[in-house]
Amino acid sequence: MPPTLDELLAGPSGLLDTTFDQLRTLLVVHETGSALRAARVLGREQSSVQKQLDTLNRNSQALCGEVLTVRQGRGKDFLFTPTGETTVELARTTFANWLESIHWSRRRLGRMLTVGTTEFTLPIVSRAWERVSEEFRQREVEFKVAHVRTKDLWSRLETKQVDLICGSIVSTPEGDLRLREYEVVEYARGRALLLTNLPAGELPDAPVETSRLPGIPLVVPPAGLVADLLATWYGPGYRERLNVVADIDDVHYGLSLLKSGFVRGCMIVTGSIGRGMAGQDDPDSVPLRAIGLHDDLEPKAELMTGAFVRRADLERYDAGHPLNRLWDAVREDVRTYTPSA
């Protein structure tokens, strides 16, 4: 319940004199454990950090009857009292709310724009940025690019951590219900490939039916585009139905694993990665082959690469807002973009 006017006017001086800078120092000390380490992070003298802690402790003692931090001896981390821990959580929430409000206001006023992109869709943002970069510089728009893993694409959008995102998703004929609230610019659509180090005698070059995947040794990531594909075909418990011979965190490690020959098997990849890696002339690596996948399961699934933005955001702002200007640049880019063979 928000404080009344009388409660605001009667606010104790110890509380009114507490600054955001002091609270930030308290949070950094909580994270680093000591005034010395906090001073290094903040770029200040240790005496300055300690002075702020002493002030906060005096005010807390006067207000609550308990200090926030207690020294435990030379070389040991500060001990935070129950009041101190409560104050830390309150300060963390306060900072988060203020920063979120500031970022929202900057976005609303067209002062800041954050775009998320996976490693493989960075060129989409780069080409669109070239179309509006000079305009944004003149308008002093703060433009940020955030690296987003494919497995985090939806969460970044739904939690509004980014204004626009470029990446790849699994698309089915029934459509993805999550797309109902988004505008989408589609750049490419296709089927996945199998990249393998198995000899042709063991796994011929003919396309492999997706229903045969349980009989093939697979290198599989725990989340992301490939995991979504497998879940589409085999359900959320797909790992129990497949022959998983290796777990990988990202595609680069999977490629290295196959090329080393340490693991014999297959990895599901996008068409561009599969075609790019197959047949590379590297005498120190096991040769890899790209084999097509024939989708004989339901629902049929494709990989779609594109740009996504919340429709409500586009409608909330006028046509000259940086988000709408960038979205126009993305749409213009897709009209002139020619995918590489």
Side-chain angles (χ1 to χ4, degrees):
M1 184 176 181
T4 64
L5 178 59
D6 289 340
E7 289 172 330
L8 289 174
L9 295 176
S13 60
L15 175 62
L16 298 178
D17 292 339
T18 301
T19 68
F20 272 100
D21 188 45
Q22 291 172 339
L23 293 178
R24 184 184 69 157
T25 296
L26 183 69
L27 290 174
V28 175
V29 170
H30 189 267
E31 289 294 320
T32 61
S34 73
L36 177 60
R37 289 193 288 271
R40 291 171 179 168
V41 172
L42 293 168
R44 295 179 175 177
E45 295 294 328
Q46 181 180 354
S47 59
S48 173
V49 171
Q50 188 60 57
K51 183 178 180 180
Q52 287 189 316
L53 287 179
D54 292 341
T55 299
L56 287 169
N57 278 332
R58 284 196 305 270
N59 288 340
S60 179
Q61 182 70 56
L63 291 168
C64 306
E66 185 178 45
V67 296
L68 305 179
T69 63
V70 177
R71 293 184 182 181
Q72 298 193 92
R74 187 177 181 84
K76 295 184 178 180
D77 289 354
F78 278 101
L79 172 67
F80 277 72
T81 66
T83 300
E85 292 290 350
T86 299
T87 303
V88 164
E89 289 305 311
L90 182 60
R92 187 175 286 123
T93 301
T94 299
F95 261 96
N97 289 340
W98 270 88
L99 289 174
E100 182 180 356
S101 178
I102 290 170
H103 290 164
W104 173 252
S105 294
R106 287 175 61 81
R107 286 172 175 170
R108 177 177 57 82
L109 296 171
R111 304 295 296 174
M112 184 179 76
L113 201 62
T114 302
V115 175
T117 174
T118 64
E119 176 183 355
F120 302 106
T121 56
L122 183 58
I124 296 177
V125 174
S126 178
R127 292 192 302 267
W129 165 250
E130 290 177 359
R131 298 175 182 271
V132 296
S133 59
E134 185 57 34
E135 174 189 341
F136 281 17
R137 289 192 184 100
Q138 291 180 2
R139 296 173 60 179
E140 298 182 345
V141 176
E142 182 182 357
F143 185 76
K144 294 183 177 181
V145 178
H147 178 212
V148 176
R149 301 285 293 271
T150 301
K151 65 183 179 67
D152 299 322
L153 187 147
W154 286 111
S155 64
R156 289 290 190 97
L157 272 174
E158 291 168 354
T159 57
K160 300 184 178 181
Q161 296 180 49
V162 295
D163 299 293
L164 180 152
I165 203 164
C166 295
S168 299
I169 64 170
V170 174
S171 176
T172 63
E174 293 78 12
D176 195 320
L177 295 178
R178 291 175 296 187
L179 293 177
R180 289 182 301 180
E181 299 178 0
Y182 295 91
E183 291 292 331
V184 181
V185 168
E186 183 175 320
Y187 272 77
R189 182 180 289 268
R191 299 189 182 278
L193 297 176
L194 273 183
L195 196 63
T196 183
N197 60 6
L198 298 175
E202 191 171 340
L203 185 65
D205 288 327
V208 175
E209 291 82 5
T210 51
S211 60
R212 288 180 51 203
L213 289 177
I216 296 174
L218 293 175
V219 175
V220 175
L225 198 62
V226 171
D228 289 345
L229 261 180
L230 294 173
T232 299
W233 291 324
Y234 288 96
Y238 64 87
R239 297 182 67 86
E240 299 175 1
R241 303 178 61 184
L242 300 175
N243 178 20
V244 179
V245 295
D247 292 294
I248 58 174
D249 287 333
D250 59 49
V251 66
H252 298 293
Y253 182 72
L255 294 174
S256 298
L257 202 59
L258 291 179
K259 291 168 67 176
S260 71
F262 183 66
V263 168
R264 299 175 71 255
C266 305
M267 184 169 68
I268 299 175
V269 296
T270 63
S272 58
I273 294 177
R275 290 187 292 269
M277 294 302 302
Q280 286 191 353
D281 187 15
D282 186 348
D284 297 324
S285 300
V286 176
L288 303 180
R289 294 180 298 127
I291 302 174
L293 273 174
H294 173 64
D295 193 353
D296 62 340
L297 295 174
E298 295 293 339
K300 307 300 182 186
E302 290 184 311
L303 303 182
M304 191 268 278
T305 298
F308 308 85
V309 66
R310 290 178 292 275
R311 184 177 296 113
D313 286 351
L314 295 179
E315 295 172 349
R316 181 181 296 113
Y317 307 131
D318 61 46
H321 189 278
L323 180 58
N324 280 299
R325 294 289 297 120
L326 182 63
W327 188 245
D328 288 341
V330 170
R331 290 192 296 188
E332 179 62 26
D333 178 66
V334 76
R335 286 192 284 266
T336 60
Y337 171 64
T338 302
S340 57

